[in-house]
Amino acid sequence: MTPSIRRKLEQLAERHRELGLLLAQPDVHADGARFRALSREYAQLGPLAAALAEHDAAARNLADSREMLKDPDFRELAQEDIARLEARLAELERELQLLLIPKDPRDEANLYLEVRAGTGGDEAALFAGDLFRMYARYAERKRWCVEILSAHEGEHGGYKEVIARVEGKGAYSRLKFESGTHRVQRVPATESQGRIHTSAATVAILPELDEIEDVEVKESELKIDTFRASGAGGQHVNKTESAIRITHLPTGIVVECQDERSQHKNRARAMALLKARLLDEQRSKQVAAQTESRRLQVGSGDRSQRIRTYNFPQGRVTDHRINLTLYRLPEIVDGDLDELIDALAREHQADQLQALTETA
């Protein structure tokens, strides 16, 4: 462990002790908002403080065991203890480094999932539909709720565009690396000569955060249209102009919501989505500026980046960011994404650890 990392750990452990004292103060208890904020910070620092205390205790025990080597009667026992304690110290150092990585405040957020057909015509729309079903089935496995906000179907099935809200614990933390261009290689159902076609769809994952309320959107910058919802939904949905389309004139961002029967509810949903997109755009510019000198392999959120290929003839899925190929395509498109997502999370963690040691 480098001295600088050690100092960072000690500072955070000291902050944990300070928070414990603050939470015992009557004036903090009287201020509900402050008490909740301090309690949350105290809970987040708890595992780090506990791991550092265990690390220091193990280091002291290791020093004692090395002293015991000098005594012939205890040498064998000391050697066993040294091997065990050295292994445990290595585990704790790794754990402490991981705990130093700043927690993404968006990880527990719900999210907006946007899937759009790219190049490839009808086959791209079919592929966009396959991708959306893949994420919907993954959400079902996780017991999350998926709510379609707007959808434009392709002429031969699938979607030209589909936008949904995904609600569930840790939803953003699991799907945040899915933003980008997804490519498919397969023989389309409409292909009579059995030739393999390549088409693409883009995926965007936007966190739904409390801070979107702080995004200022002026009414004068909005163009709001109402229209009749398309697709299933009953006579009321199809016969009244309850669907909402909002255009943000300065950026050209367009959002729609046609899920609810109430025009008022659709407007509220569309505004929330618009603010999430504006916030995401701001963040993307910040991230681009921050990572211009050092490009992280995973987690850049660059939607123009081709991140994954689904090759049906070979039954494989390849994630190009981490050079991972899995020959489990049927299971993956059926929503079994954990192996892919876990590998991406580990790689992102390794990137962050490298950045941490470089700045230490």
Side-chain angles (χ1 to χ4, degrees):
M1 186 186 300
T2 65
S4 56
I5 286 181
R6 174 73 198 189
R7 281 195 300 275
K8 287 180 183 177
L9 290 168
E10 287 175 346
Q11 288 167 0
L12 291 170
E14 178 58 35
R15 174 60 176 167
H16 184 257
R17 287 190 288 272
E18 179 189 347
L19 288 166
L21 295 173
L22 283 171
L23 288 168
Q25 300 299 316
D27 59 324
V28 173
H29 275 271
D31 185 342
R34 189 182 178 207
F35 181 77
R36 284 192 298 274
L38 293 178
S39 296
R40 188 160 48 245
E41 186 183 356
Y42 181 78
Q44 288 173 350
L45 290 176
L48 183 145
L52 183 60
E54 186 183 349
H55 177 277
D56 291 348
R60 290 192 296 270
N61 291 337
L62 180 60
D64 292 342
S65 295
R66 284 173 175 158
E67 282 294 316
M68 288 170 61
L69 283 174
K70 299 173 184 177
D71 189 332
D73 294 334
F74 293 101
R75 183 170 296 141
E76 187 176 344
L77 180 63
Q79 287 173 338
E80 291 177 4
D81 279 347
I82 287 169
R84 177 180 57 80
L85 288 165
E86 284 178 340
R88 182 58 183 150
L89 275 171
E91 289 176 10
L92 286 166
E93 285 201 15
R94 168 75 178 172
E95 185 180 329
L96 283 164
Q97 284 183 325
L98 294 177
L99 288 167
L100 263 183
I101 295 173
K103 183 174 172 58
D104 188 340
R106 304 171 295 174
D107 274 352
E108 296 304 312
N110 302 322
L111 59 92
Y112 295 105
L113 164 66
E114 304 182 351
V115 184
R116 293 180 176 85
T119 55
D122 291 335
E123 171 63 8
L126 291 169
F127 178 50
D130 292 340
L131 284 177
F132 179 74
R133 281 188 293 275
M134 178 180 77
Y135 293 122
R137 286 170 181 163
Y138 182 67
E140 187 179 341
R141 289 168 184 256
K142 296 293 181 183
R143 301 184 182 228
W144 300 336
C145 176
V146 178
E147 183 181 13
I148 294 178
L149 300 182
S150 70
H152 297 278
E153 297 179 358
E155 291 180 15
H156 296 90
Y159 294 105
K160 292 178 180 177
E161 176 187 88
V162 57
I163 300 173
R165 180 176 177 270
V166 180
E167 180 180 355
K169 184 174 175 58
Y172 185 75
S173 69
R174 296 301 290 169
L175 292 180
K176 63 183 177 182
F177 302 126
E178 294 300 300
S179 290
T181 300
H182 296 240
R183 185 177 69 166
V184 65
Q185 295 171 327
R186 64 184 174 188
V187 179
T190 55
E191 172 58 56
S192 59
Q193 298 182 25
R195 290 175 297 190
I196 296 172
H197 286 226
T198 298
S199 55
T202 59
V203 173
I205 304 291
L206 309 178
E208 181 188 63
L209 296 171
D210 293 338
E211 63 189 279
I212 63 170
E213 298 302 325
D214 301 328
V215 178
E216 185 180 356
V217 179
K218 297 177 181 176
E219 285 288 329
S220 60
E221 298 175 342
L222 302 178
K223 178 175 181 287
I224 301 175
D225 300 305
T226 59
F227 59 99
R228 292 182 185 178
S230 59
Q235 292 183 347
H236 178 83
V237 171
N238 293 323
K239 289 188 176 181
T240 62
E241 293 195 345
S242 60
I244 292 286
R245 181 186 297 111
I246 300 177
T247 304
H248 186 244
L249 300 175
T251 61
I253 293 174
V254 179
V255 296
E256 289 181 5
C257 187
Q258 53 181 301
D259 182 60
E260 297 286 349
R261 292 187 174 192
S262 160
Q263 187 182 110
H264 177 74
K265 287 182 179 178
N266 279 328
R267 181 186 169 114
R269 290 277 175 84
M271 280 299 295
L273 176 56
L274 173 63
K275 288 182 177 182
R277 282 206 199 158
L278 290 169
L279 186 63
D280 181 68
E281 192 173 82
Q282 291 172 15
R283 279 218 172 99
S284 295
K285 289 178 182 176
Q286 291 170 358
V287 169
Q290 291 165 359
T291 60
E292 190 173 354
S293 59
R294 182 182 183 277
R295 190 70 164 170
L296 294 180
Q297 185 101 352
V298 178
S300 67
D302 183 356
R303 301 212 187 101
S304 64
Q305 181 186 13
R306 189 190 72 192
I307 64 168
R308 193 175 298 150
T309 295
Y310 304 74
N311 185 298
F312 277 74
Q314 296 178 19
R316 65 172 168 84
V317 175
T318 299
D319 196 290
H320 304 290
R321 294 165 293 180
I322 56 176
N323 295 319
L324 173 67
T325 296
L326 300 174
Y327 288 88
R328 300 180 54 249
L329 187 143
E331 294 89 347
I332 288 169
V333 296
D334 194 45
D336 188 1
L337 293 173
D338 277 331
E339 187 175 0
L340 261 176
I341 290 171
D342 289 341
L344 288 163
R346 285 193 299 270
E347 189 73 18
H348 184 56
Q349 213 170 54
D351 278 343
Q352 289 180 304
L353 278 175
Q354 185 180 341
L356 183 68
T357 53
E358 285 175 359
T359 57

